[in-house]
């Protein structure tokens, strides 16, 4: 089954802050959702498919769908590390093409600059391959 011509990206939003002090992770997801839906000319009531990864608070997509007030027919909580959200774009397109949902919402939010390990060596036995590149400046995402 080809999905070509059956699903389109209609709205996007990038949160304007990188250091969201005083804002909860669920609230960041909600603000990202609102921005993307506004960009697409849609409302939260139009959404019947929801996609986010396991880094979302609580039970991931289930908790976030409830927090956002969604009534989704289709939910995807696939976790594949840093590529999860790229995979969600594909999963959303497939779900739309298969008739599982008509409007899919994907949210990504995080607070990497409000905590984490102190500067220097990471608190783990194995040094990640990107450590020497990120250590002097901190993670970029």
């Amino acid at each position: 089954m080809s999905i070509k011509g059956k699903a389109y990206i209609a709205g996007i939003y990038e949160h304007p802050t990188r250091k969201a002090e005083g804002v909860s992770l669920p609230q960041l997801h909600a603000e990202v959702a609102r921005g993307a839906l506004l960009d697409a000319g849609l409302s939260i009531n139009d959404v019947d498919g929801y996609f986010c990864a396991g880094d979302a608070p609580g039970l991931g997509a289930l908790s976030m769908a409830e927090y956002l007030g969604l009534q989704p027919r289709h939910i995807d909580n696939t976790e594949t590390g840093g590529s999860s959200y790229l995979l969600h774009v594909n999963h959303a397109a497939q779900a739309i093409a298969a008739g599982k949902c008509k409007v899919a919402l994907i949210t990504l939010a995080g607070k990497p600059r409000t905590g984490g390990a102190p500067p220097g060596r990471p608190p783990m036995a194995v040094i990640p391959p990107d450590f020497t590149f990120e250590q002097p400046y901190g993670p970029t995402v």
Side-chain angles (χ1 to χ4, degrees):
M1 169 178 75
S2 173
I3 63 173
K4 185 176 181 178
K6 295 182 181 175
Y8 301 91
I9 296 173
I12 60 169
Y13 181 77
E14 182 177 0
H15 202 278
T17 184
R18 292 289 178 255
K19 192 168 186 175
E21 293 174 334
V23 180
S24 71
L25 192 54
Q27 183 62 35
L28 285 174
H29 275 271
E31 290 175 15
V32 168
R34 182 178 184 269
L37 291 170
L38 282 172
D39 188 50
L42 298 168
S43 79
I44 201 80
N45 296 325
D46 296 313
V47 176
D48 61 349
Y50 182 61
F51 299 74
C52 72
D55 56 354
L59 298 174
L62 291 173
S63 295
M64 284 309 307
E66 183 176 342
Y67 181 83
L68 295 170
L70 296 174
Q71 298 291 319
R73 295 181 335 159
H74 185 77
I75 289 182
D76 188 324
N77 201 56
T78 301
E79 176 61 61
T80 60
S83 66
S84 297
Y85 294 94
L86 295 174
L87 192 65
H88 288 162
V89 172
N90 179 271
H91 285 185
Q94 289 180 25
I96 291 168
K100 294 179 180 180
C101 60
K102 292 182 179 181
V103 176
L105 174 64
I106 303 168
T107 62
L108 164 62
K111 296 177 65 164
R113 295 189 181 202
T114 59
R121 210 165 175 80
M124 55 187 80
V126 178
I127 306 298
D130 55 354
F131 175 73
T132 57
F133 298 100
E134 288 186 346
Q135 193 276 331
Y137 308 105
T140 59
V141 294

